[in-house]
Amino acid sequence: MTPYFSLVLHAHLPYVLHEEPDRLEERWMYEAVTETYIPLIWGFEKSTSDTRYTLSISPPVLEMLANELFQERYLQYLDRTLELLEKEQVFTEVEEELDVIQFYYNRFKKIKQTFMEWNCNLISAFRYYVQEEKAECITSTATHAFLPYIQTEQGVRAQIVYGLQCFEHHFGFKPDGIWLPECAFTPGLDKILYEEGVRYTFVDEETVRTLEPKPDNIHAPVYSPHGIVLFPRRMDLSKKVWDSNVGYPGDYDYREFYRDVGYDRNHEYILPYIHPDGIRIDTGLKYHRITGKTDAKDYYRRNWALGKVEQHAKDFVRSIRDSFTGGREDGRQVLSLTSFDAELFGHWWFEGPEWIERLQAYSSQENIEWITPAEFVKRHHEELSTHHACFSTWGRNNYGEVWLNESNEWIYRHLHAMETELIKQFAEVDSSDAFNEKVLTQMTREWLLATSSDWAFIMDHETTSEYAASRTKEHIQAFYELNDILKDSSMGDDQIKYIEERFGFMNWLEPMNLSSEHDAYVISNPTYQEKRDGLNILMLSWEFPPMVVGGLSRHVFDLSKALVEQGHQVFVVTCAVDGYPEYEINQGVHVYRVKGSQPNHDDFYHWAGSLNLAMANLGRQLGSQISFDCIHAHDWIVSVAAKGLKHQLNLPLYVTIHATEHGRNNGIHDDMQAAIHHKEWELMYEAEHIIVCSAYMKQELEEVFEVPADKISILPNGVDPLLIPEIGGNEDWKHKYGHPDDFYIFSLGRVVPEKGFQYLIEAASMLRNDYPDIRFIIAGKGPLLEDYRKKVREYQLEDKVYFVGFVTDEERNQFLRQSDALIFPSSYEPFGIVAIEGMAAQTPIIVSDTGGLGDIVQHGKNGLKVFPGNAESIRDQIVALYNDPELGERLVQAASEDVNTKYNWTEIAVKTTEVLSGAVKKPKTVGVK
């Protein structure tokens, strides 16, 4: 089977075309056109459809190439350089140097000729060779923004949509592929790409190495969960080109990049050809070869360099062939794909374009087939498997530290504020008005230009960091000047015109409305201005129905509903759930569901971080419309948003702690647990007052976090009996597990060690012989589900213990109501709401004497207790209940009374209001003895 090879180059520079002339940064573009883009065009002329490769051209490059001002200035640059070369031919007396000068003179004449042949617009050349099937062109996002650090989905979508529109504007068609800036992929990004018509993109090899499930072949393209083909670059091959230690460009016979005639000649002599202010700059005329690790450089010999090009092209072709291990592996076609910055070829590695040409020529000799990613997808899309990819880049350490560190972190608070304000204005302002549309369009351009990843990159590398910082600040300032004009149109058109003309970027752009229906509702809903007699409560919780991971979801829903029934307004900000609205009023509770910038991140800590940013953003929007009285946050997962909003909105923060990392793990044992533990401490420190659901939790906070006793109130969980309705007499489900007259014990919870299900299995083994009619039904999902099922088989308890996995609410209620007993053997259960639900189901309960469970159940009165982690104790209490049906009836009667008094949400909401209104002066304990 013929091996496949794919070459992908990404041409990108930041938008550096200023209205004023002689900007040093504009020369970056002159150098790229001279040394890279035009030589690549020469290569396309010689290539065939059998050896075409993919060139990604970013919108900033496209916009500069198409700009008449750039075209005019570039011609002046070429003429000035040719004039210098003519002067150099007279000046030099060294024959070797004269040979190099003559080479450059001929080359620059050819460059100018090529530029003129394409009417000074090189996009015409690229478009022509695409039509001739000698090249494939795609693009990148609008301004090469680092997408994982864009705050909102609307912002990410705008970068993608405008990038695709820019390409279509210049090429006449929409590309199927896109280059992600810095190869920065983050979960969820693929959904937006797919919705906008993109079908493939490129990632670093390390991204594929960490896929879930792991692929059999790390060099094979894969599908993302939303159907985008991810092409990994092959590192072992790529290093032969870009690695500074072993890469081809370091060969001593290649041109020396860092030695330029602009610095070698006398200042007075070179003055007309450097910057008008007399600043020495690179002229592009570099007469020396690398020579070696020495400051003494020999003259460049073009024929020597081209000889090395031949050697290195042959070596690379052999390496491609050697990397091929037998055609198809596991039914999938092998592909070696290498991707590079286009400017490496010609600018940094002067001979790079010639190397590509020779690579194309030698490939056929080794029976290597060049294929573009688009063609690969067309031929082999049915062979690709689907995998989950995490956040990754091709930057330092394959993460985002280049674009977010101590040198550049300051920019993001401004960029995110601009993004939020832009979305707000699209929601608030009538964009159909011509004046408003004009201002919003330019505000969009300023935000786009400010978010270029280049500015953060330059600050990190400390090269021209002053320019990067000033450009960022310039766009920020212009954005807010426009924002003021939007609010006061009398400020006039002159200022708008001045701002527009500074950079001729995307003048054709038509603004897309960045606001969603949710944003419009937040901005315009007049009911938010109303103030009831009750409290306006901003409640933060990552769980809320239908997002149900544990008992937190039900607690927040029942409490918020009870608070609304008592005349308060509750605004819950929670996590987005696919298929559910961003905003709804659920039984009087205002519910907002937000999605972080990394909604599918496989690291929960980082996932929570991005969710907090989205929560804080929405909280600020709500705070601008609603006079909140307080913030009520639930657990550490919302701590960052809670702390930020406390200070930004100047509101008291109240916190309910449902569980702690220390309690879940019986201590803090690794860095991640320590990080979460610290977040918990910060949240409690910032809190005006803390609510816990059990005396056990109060003691834990006092001992582990040293929280003062008078800062904590105990308000237990409640239960709404209507959520566990009485079930009719149909008990057909029992036929599935045994006889209807058997003794059924039900338990439920996440299948994790702290729930104690392993001890149920041991107890069932002890009961098997003497009590063969006792059967256990355990509902829930979790990481240990299959392990416990395996353990059941090992104990030969398949007809006694059933791990049934996920159950619907209806099935759950059937099990709760119609079982003979309920058991919750947790080793750690800080609030024990499941026990209260069991009591409401009017079924006898057995619980571990730990945490909230121990507070709720009084042994022998409203339930039975067992020692945590003790299978014998579980066995003994089951036997006691089995042998004494009257005991069960007494327990149920007492439990029902407690449900109607101690664990009533109405009473709990009243006490919660006392806390949230600041009325608590000493610890409160409700329904706990």
Side-chain angles (χ1 to χ4, degrees):
M1 178 64 66
T2 301
Y4 280 165
F5 173 73
S6 187
L7 175 65
V8 180
L9 303 184
H10 175 51
H12 170 67
L13 289 173
Y15 193 86
V16 290
L17 180 59
H18 294 252
E19 180 190 20
E20 65 270 25
D22 300 318
R23 293 296 297 251
L24 288 171
E25 302 79 23
E26 196 170 302
R27 296 183 70 88
W28 300 345
M29 189 64 180
Y30 301 160
E31 293 167 355
V33 171
T34 303
E35 297 171 331
T36 299
Y37 305 157
I38 286 179
L40 290 179
I41 289 171
W42 294 341
F44 287 142
E45 174 62 31
K46 300 173 187 176
S47 67
T48 68
S49 59
D50 293 333
T51 56
R52 63 177 172 160
Y53 60 88
T54 299
L55 177 64
S56 164
I57 313 176
S58 74
V61 170
L62 290 173
E63 285 292 292
M64 288 189 286
L65 288 175
N67 192 295
E68 291 182 1
L69 183 61
F70 166 77
Q71 295 166 7
E72 176 185 331
R73 290 176 179 174
Y74 181 65
L75 274 177
Q76 293 172 358
Y77 163 79
L78 291 178
D79 288 340
R80 210 163 37 242
T81 305
L82 284 167
E83 180 184 317
L84 173 59
L85 284 165
E86 290 171 352
K87 183 176 181 179
E88 284 284 276
Q89 288 174 324
V90 175
F91 173 82
T92 188
E93 296 180 354
V94 180
E95 185 175 348
E96 288 179 302
E97 189 175 58
L98 188 60
D99 289 341
V100 183
I101 293 170
Q102 188 62 46
F103 160 73
Y104 273 118
Y105 185 73
N106 295 336
R107 186 179 180 88
F108 269 85
K109 285 181 65 177
K110 184 179 178 183
I111 287 169
K112 182 177 179 180
Q113 180 184 353
T114 300
F115 192 65
M116 298 294 290
E117 282 177 354
W118 294 107
N119 198 26
C120 301
N121 189 342
L122 297 183
I123 298 175
S124 303
F126 294 125
R127 190 166 54 233
Y128 171 79
Y129 290 118
V130 168
Q131 294 169 348
E132 292 294 303
E133 296 187 348
K134 292 187 173 186
E136 176 184 81
C137 285
I138 60 172
T139 193
S140 186
T141 61
T143 55
H144 214 259
F146 192 84
L147 296 183
Y149 293 164
I150 299 291
Q151 188 174 32
T152 67
E153 179 180 336
Q154 298 101 303
V156 173
R157 192 179 298 274
Q159 277 282 348
I160 293 169
V161 168
Y162 286 135
L164 296 174
Q165 286 182 357
C166 183
F167 184 88
E168 188 171 13
H169 176 77
H170 292 292
F171 277 80
F173 66 92
K174 191 174 179 180
D176 290 333
I178 196 168
W179 180 275
L180 295 178
E182 320 304 348
C183 286
F185 181 86
T186 191
L189 178 58
D190 56 329
K191 179 176 183 291
I192 302 174
L193 291 173
Y194 191 86
E195 289 171 350
E196 298 304 332
V198 175
R199 292 299 174 260
Y200 65 87
T201 190
F202 308 92
V203 295
D204 193 75
E205 182 179 295
E206 192 61 30
T207 307
V208 178
R209 290 184 183 277
T210 58
L211 290 175
E212 290 293 339
K214 286 190 176 298
D216 297 325
N217 178 6
I218 63 168
H219 301 128
V222 299
Y223 278 124
S224 73
H226 289 285
I228 297 295
V229 179
L230 306 178
F231 284 92
R233 66 168 180 162
R234 185 153 188 156
M235 289 298 296
D236 56 349
L237 291 176
S238 299
K239 287 180 68 173
K240 284 180 167 287
V241 175
W242 60 259
D243 189 281
S244 59
N245 295 316
V246 301
Y248 303 140
D251 189 279
Y252 292 167
D253 286 335
Y254 286 141
R255 188 187 76 164
E256 170 62 62
F257 176 82
Y258 295 101
R259 182 83 176 267
D260 189 277
V261 73
Y263 299 89
D264 285 348
R265 296 299 189 234
N266 175 277
H267 189 267
E268 183 178 350
Y269 171 89
I270 202 69
L271 185 61
Y273 309 102
I274 57 177
H275 193 270
D277 293 341
I279 303 170
R280 287 185 182 268
I281 55 175
D282 280 12
T283 63
L285 305 181
K286 305 172 191 296
Y287 298 164
H288 299 84
R289 59 191 180 92
I290 294 174
T291 308
K293 295 181 179 180
T294 174
D295 291 335
K297 303 295 182 181
D298 295 334
Y299 285 107
Y300 180 65
R301 294 178 180 269
R302 181 63 173 174
N303 58 330
W304 290 11
L306 293 180
K308 290 298 176 68
V309 165
E310 294 284 329
Q311 293 179 28
H312 291 150
K314 290 178 180 178
D315 177 74
F316 196 81
V317 169
R318 284 194 297 269
S319 297
I320 297 172
R321 187 67 189 173
D322 291 344
S323 70
F324 178 64
T325 57
R328 293 172 178 266
E329 293 183 358
D330 297 325
R332 291 189 292 178
Q333 174 70 41
V334 171
L335 171 69
S336 290
L337 181 143
T338 57
S339 58
F340 309 95
D341 287 328
E343 292 75 22
L344 170 63
F345 297 86
H347 179 58
W348 297 105
W349 180 18
F350 185 59
E351 299 79 10
E354 286 80 12
W355 177 82
I356 293 175
E357 292 176 25
R358 301 315 301 155
L359 196 65
Q360 292 170 313
Y362 289 131
S363 293
S364 59
Q365 297 178 14
E366 291 292 332
N367 195 30
I368 294 170
E369 181 177 354
W370 285 46
I371 189 170
T372 64
E375 181 63 24
F376 186 94
V377 172
K378 182 179 178 180
R379 294 186 197 178
H380 301 289
H381 64 276
E382 294 181 352
E383 300 174 9
L384 307 185
S385 55
T386 300
H387 302 261
H388 290 266
C390 63
F391 174 36
S392 62
T393 76
W394 73 349
R396 189 165 60 235
N397 296 323
N398 299 110
Y399 211 62
E401 62 188 63
V402 169
W403 299 275
L404 178 57
N405 55 56
E406 63 276 3
S407 71
N408 52 36
E409 55 83 22
W410 64 270
I411 69 176
Y412 291 101
R413 63 180 180 272
H414 299 292
L415 299 182
H416 292 166
M418 291 168 70
E419 187 178 348
T420 301
E421 183 66 20
L422 188 60
I423 293 171
K424 175 187 173 185
Q425 293 297 359
F426 270 107
E428 220 170 27
V429 174
D430 178 12
S431 58
S432 64
D433 176 85
F435 179 83
N436 290 343
E437 181 184 27
K438 185 177 184 180
V439 178
L440 285 170
T441 301
Q442 190 59 33
M443 287 177 69
T444 301
R445 291 192 189 100
E446 298 298 335
W447 173 74
L448 288 171
L449 288 166
T451 57
S452 169
S453 70
D454 302 278
W455 312 138
F457 178 88
I458 292 170
M459 292 176 202
D460 173 77
H461 281 62
E462 299 180 348
T463 48
T464 53
S465 54
E466 288 185 8
Y467 175 72
S470 67
R471 277 293 301 272
T472 305
K473 292 175 182 177
E474 183 176 1
H475 295 302
I476 294 171
Q477 180 179 347
F479 179 91
Y480 284 108
E481 288 178 8
L482 292 161
N483 201 35
D484 290 339
I485 293 173
L486 198 60
K487 296 173 182 177
D488 183 5
S489 59
S490 64
M491 297 178 72
D493 290 333
D494 290 343
Q495 181 67 5
I496 301 173
K497 184 178 180 181
Y498 167 74
I499 294 173
E500 285 178 331
E501 291 178 350
R502 290 157 42 257
F503 301 96
F505 180 69
M506 289 190 180
N507 292 329
W508 46 267
L509 183 148
E510 295 182 5
M512 56 183 280
N513 192 335
L514 298 183
S515 68
S516 64
E517 293 180 7
H518 166 73
D519 298 313
Y521 194 94
V522 169
I523 297 299
S524 63
N525 192 328
T527 62
Y528 290 160
Q529 303 301 328
E530 297 177 3
K531 176 69 175 177
R532 300 185 184 180
D533 293 334
L535 300 174
N536 277 346
I537 303 165
L538 176 59
M539 193 171 290
L540 307 178
S541 171
W542 82 284
E543 277 192 66
F544 193 86
M547 167 76 82
V548 179
V549 178
L552 175 60
S553 178
R554 178 56 59 190
H555 174 104
V556 175
F557 176 68
D558 288 341
L559 174 61
S560 57
K561 185 176 64 171
L563 289 167
V564 168
E565 290 171 353
Q566 294 180 11
H568 307 293
Q569 285 197 108
V570 181
F571 302 81
V572 176
V573 180
T574 188
C575 179
V577 178
D578 288 344
Y580 284 81
E582 293 179 336
Y583 170 78
E584 66 173 344
I585 299 178
N586 189 337
Q587 299 192 48
V589 180
H590 297 268
V591 183
Y592 303 88
R593 297 184 177 91
V594 298
K595 182 183 293 185
S597 59
Q598 300 179 43
N600 298 310
H601 202 298
D602 56 2
D603 185 315
F604 186 73
Y605 189 79
H606 290 290
W607 176 90
S610 71
L611 177 65
N612 271 262
L613 290 175
M615 283 183 156
N617 180 42
L618 179 60
R620 286 191 297 270
Q621 290 183 44
L622 293 174
S624 68
Q625 300 293 318
I626 307 164
S627 297
F628 288 117
D629 295 292
C630 64
I631 301 169
H632 187 187
H634 294 263
D635 271 358
W636 76 270
I637 298 173
V638 299
S639 62
V640 175
K643 291 186 301 175
L645 290 171
K646 168 191 171 179
H647 296 290
Q648 291 164 359
L649 302 181
N650 193 26
L651 292 172
L653 170 63
Y654 299 96
V655 172
T656 296
I657 298 295
H658 297 264
T660 70
E661 192 73 0
H662 185 280
R664 277 187 292 268
N665 299 287
N666 196 26
I668 301 299
H669 308 290
D670 58 37
D671 291 343
M672 179 59 71
Q673 292 172 6
I676 294 172
H677 182 76
H678 185 68
K679 289 293 181 192
E680 293 169 336
W681 180 88
E682 287 181 334
L683 184 61
M684 289 182 243
Y685 176 82
E686 294 280 353
E688 190 82 11
H689 201 80
I690 300 170
I691 299 171
V692 294
C693 301
S694 67
Y696 174 88
M697 276 302 299
K698 182 176 185 292
Q699 181 180 358
E700 183 176 336
L701 299 195
E702 290 175 4
E703 293 178 353
V704 176
F705 295 92
E706 298 183 351
V707 179
D710 61 0
K711 192 176 180 178
I712 308 171
S713 291
I714 304 173
L715 306 182
N717 272 294
V719 66
D720 183 353
L722 295 177
L723 296 175
I724 309 173
E726 293 189 19
I727 306 295
N730 187 344
E731 297 185 358
D732 287 347
W733 62 270
K734 294 184 177 180
H735 290 286
K736 184 177 179 180
Y737 305 105
H739 192 276
D741 294 332
D742 288 344
F743 192 89
Y744 288 90
I745 301 173
F746 177 62
S747 189
L748 77 160
R750 274 191 37 89
V751 187
V752 291
E754 59 263 32
K755 293 301 180 181
F757 296 137
Q758 63 270 40
Y759 304 113
L760 283 187
I761 298 172
E762 293 181 22
S765 179
M766 298 175 187
L767 293 165
R768 173 172 44 196
N769 294 329
D770 295 333
Y771 300 92
D773 58 339
I774 294 180
R775 305 188 188 280
F776 295 84
I777 312 295
I778 304 167
K781 297 179 67 176
L784 294 180
L785 180 58
E786 292 306 318
D787 289 345
Y788 286 166
R789 285 173 172 167
K790 181 180 179 182
K791 192 170 185 178
V792 167
R793 293 192 294 271
E794 290 174 353
Y795 276 81
Q796 298 182 349
L797 293 171
E798 294 97 321
D799 61 341
K800 305 295 181 188
V801 180
Y802 300 88
F803 280 89
V804 297
F806 172 79
V807 294
T808 65
D809 286 345
E810 182 180 355
E811 291 170 326
R812 167 182 170 273
N813 291 338
Q814 273 193 321
F815 288 133
L816 287 173
R817 285 282 189 181
Q818 296 177 344
S819 294
D820 296 284
L822 308 175
I823 186 166
F824 308 108
S826 302
S827 58
Y828 179 73
E829 195 70 62
F831 50 94
I833 191 171
V834 68
I836 305 174
E837 292 176 337
M839 292 161 66
Q842 298 185 353
T843 304
I845 63 170
I846 304 171
V847 302
S848 290
D849 189 9
T850 185
L853 295 174
D855 287 344
I856 292 166
V857 174
Q858 287 79 53
H859 183 66
K861 294 183 179 180
N862 60 359
L864 299 176
K865 292 183 181 180
V866 300
F867 297 119
N870 191 311
E872 291 86 355
S873 181
I874 292 173
R875 175 201 60 194
D876 292 344
Q877 296 308 314
I878 290 174
V879 170
L881 197 58
Y882 178 90
N883 289 329
D884 189 355
E886 291 183 2
L887 171 62
E889 293 175 5
R890 292 195 303 272
L891 298 176
V892 166
Q893 184 176 353
S896 297
E897 184 177 342
D898 286 343
V899 166
N900 293 326
T901 55
K902 296 179 183 178
Y903 306 114
N904 182 288
W905 274 116
T906 300
E907 175 67 12
I908 296 168
V910 169
K911 298 302 180 182
T912 302
T913 301
E914 290 184 18
V915 175
L916 301 184
S917 61
V920 173
K921 302 301 181 185
K922 59 183 180 180
K924 291 285 182 181
T925 302
V926 179
V928 177
K929 294 182 179 178

